Amino acid sequence: MPAVVMGLLAGRLALAGYAPHLFAYRGRRPLDGSVERLARYVFDTCRDRPAHFVGHSLGGLLVLETLNRHANIGVGRVVLLGAPVRGCLSGRRLAKASPGRWMLGASAPLWSEERDAHWRRDAPLGVLAGTRPIGLGRTFGPLPGANDGVVRVEETMVEGMTERVLVPRSHSGMVASGQVAKLVARFLASGTFGEPAA
């Protein structure tokens, strides 16, 4: 995804005292290559210092996989936003149509396969899941249960996560939300989302 997608959230985190680095990846390419690219980027950027990580959507799955596979990366705290870590019903539906398969590219299995998701680190992991069902994921039919219009809340569940909070935001709206930015900053500072942000 273009790094600019996370630009507003990064700006808000910078105002909160953090020094964000944006990482761009190609969502249609295989995850393994992006995992190795992100690991190299972290080593080059952070050297031996632990870093915080924030990932949205497929970027959240990329963060989770990278940190689980590369135990030598120093981790402070991690937040995933609307990440389909257990697969994605809307992705499975999209993959049934040839335009959808083209859109998903080599990442189609990440969206379409149901799987377990585990956090294998001691560092705090926070998950934010949206509950405003507005998004392209509903194009192929309604999504059962609470969802953000693309990813269902149950698809964001990570075994071993520290905390999960539901926010009244759509999938794309999460990265533009001031409420979400406050919750992310609070988790990065303390390892808990605490009281819901106003």
Side-chain angles (χ1 to χ4, degrees), residues 93 135-142 149:
R93 291 174 175 170
L136 292 175
R138 296 167 53 93
T139 303
F140 297 97

Side-chain angles (χ1 to χ4, degrees), residues 71-137:
N72 52 342
I73 293 177
V75 179
R77 296 181 181 99
V78 181
V79 180
L80 307 182
L81 311 173
V85 296
R86 291 187 164 294
C88 184
L89 175 60
S90 61
R92 289 193 291 281
R93 291 174 175 170
L94 185 62
K96 290 180 180 177
S98 56
R101 286 191 295 276
W102 178 86
M103 286 174 59
L104 297 173
S107 72
L110 304 176
W111 289 92
S112 59
E113 293 173 358
E114 292 186 63
R115 62 187 168 279
D116 292 329
H118 301 275
W119 179 233
R120 298 185 177 96
R121 299 293 201 107
D122 292 329
L125 170 67
V127 172
L128 292 176
T131 59
R132 183 163 291 154
I134 301 169
L136 292 175

Side-chain angles (χ1 to χ4, degrees), residues 24-169:
Y25 66 95
R26 295 181 187 245
R28 296 184 68 245
R29 290 199 174 163
L31 180 69
D32 290 342
S34 295
V35 163
E36 296 312 311
R37 278 189 57 244
L38 178 56
R40 283 192 304 275
Y41 178 81
V42 172
F43 289 133
D44 292 345
T45 305
C46 301
R47 306 288 184 238
D48 296 325
R49 295 170 297 149
H52 299 309
F53 294 84
V54 180
H56 173 252
S57 194
L58 186 56
L61 179 56
L62 172 60
V63 166
L64 182 69
E65 287 295 317
T66 301
L67 297 179
N68 276 340
R69 293 184 196 184
H70 291 272
N72 52 342
I73 293 177
V75 179
R77 296 181 181 99
V78 181
V79 180
L80 307 182
L81 311 173
V85 296
R86 291 187 164 294
C88 184
L89 175 60
S90 61
R92 289 193 291 281
R93 291 174 175 170
L94 185 62
K96 290 180 180 177
S98 56
R101 286 191 295 276
W102 178 86
M103 286 174 59
L104 297 173
S107 72
L110 304 176
W111 289 92
S112 59
E113 293 173 358
E114 292 186 63
R115 62 187 168 279
D116 292 329
H118 301 275
W119 179 233
R120 298 185 177 96
R121 299 293 201 107
D122 292 329
L125 170 67
V127 172
L128 292 176
T131 59
R132 183 163 291 154
I134 301 169
L136 292 175
R138 296 167 53 93
T139 303
F140 297 97
L143 295 174
N147 67 84
D148 63 11
V150 176
V151 177
R152 295 181 299 151
V153 167
E154 67 185 59
E155 295 166 338
T156 67
M157 178 75 175
V158 181
E159 296 294 331
M161 66 185 175
T162 306
E163 191 174 354
R164 181 173 66 179
V165 168
L166 307 185
V167 292
R169 297 291 178 267

